[in-house]
Amino acid sequence: MSLRRARASIITITLVHTVAVAVGMGLVHAGNRASLAYRDRLVARARSSDPVTLADQEGDHLRAAWLEAARTQWACLAAGLTGPTVIGPLALSAYRGWVGGIVSVDGDHVSRLREPVEAVYYLSVIVLQLIPYSLAVGAGLNLGYAYFKPRSEYPGDKWLGYPKEAISDFFRIFLATIPLVVAANLWEFLSPLRR
């Protein structure tokens, strides 16, 4: 029931994120200097100080997966809680998708899609991360829509103007994303396809 009521918002977030990934990929594959420079700064910063990257570089892939899962779950919650603004989750999804797209090239700016195994790994990680993110953030966006445009799905009591059932939908969907986030990050760091 919760997914059905939040369906339009979840689909909206999925589309925004997917289009942004495609735009990011297109920019770096076309040699856009600004996108490539941002990608390089982002990766360099992660390699120098990010605890997930440092654990991964030390060979502690399981720890890296758990740390990234915790960070991703927090990002899903934070982005989902911007849902009542309506614009916030759309902007965050576009940025997150664009970042996912610009890392489709490696440090030498060579496509990660050139070899089939690496392409399957990269695209599978993108999709597995997109699913829980779209669910959580879409549920937040649904909450915003329920506030600004009351719908027949939420005729009951309200709390600060938000339908209580829409708030419950957000938390039910968010809780359902926890195992999905864990699975996505275990795949990212422990996948046999990873190079």
Side-chain angles (χ1 to χ4, degrees), residues 1-7 153-154 165 169 172-173:
M1 184 65 87
S2 297
L3 287 174
R4 185 184 60 75
R5 288 190 291 240
R7 179 181 59 229
E153 290 105 3
Y154 300 116
E165 193 60 28
D169 283 350
R172 279 193 287 268
I173 293 170

Side-chain angles (χ1 to χ4, degrees), residues 3-4 18 21 32 35 40 46 53 70-71 76 97 136 145 194:
L3 287 174
R4 185 184 60 75
T18 302
V21 168
N32 179 274
S35 296
D40 293 343
T53 305
R71 179 167 56 194
C76 286
Y145 285 156
R194 187 171 185 223

Side-chain angles (χ1 to χ4, degrees), residues 100-130:
I102 65 173
V103 296
S104 65
V105 296
D106 63 19
D108 297 323
H109 301 165
V110 175
S111 177
R112 295 174 65 188
L113 304 175
R114 72 186 186 285
E115 294 180 22
V117 172
E118 190 171 3
V120 168
Y121 169 73
Y122 166 76
L123 293 173
S124 67
V125 168
I126 292 288
V127 169
L128 288 172
Q129 290 175 347
L130 173 63

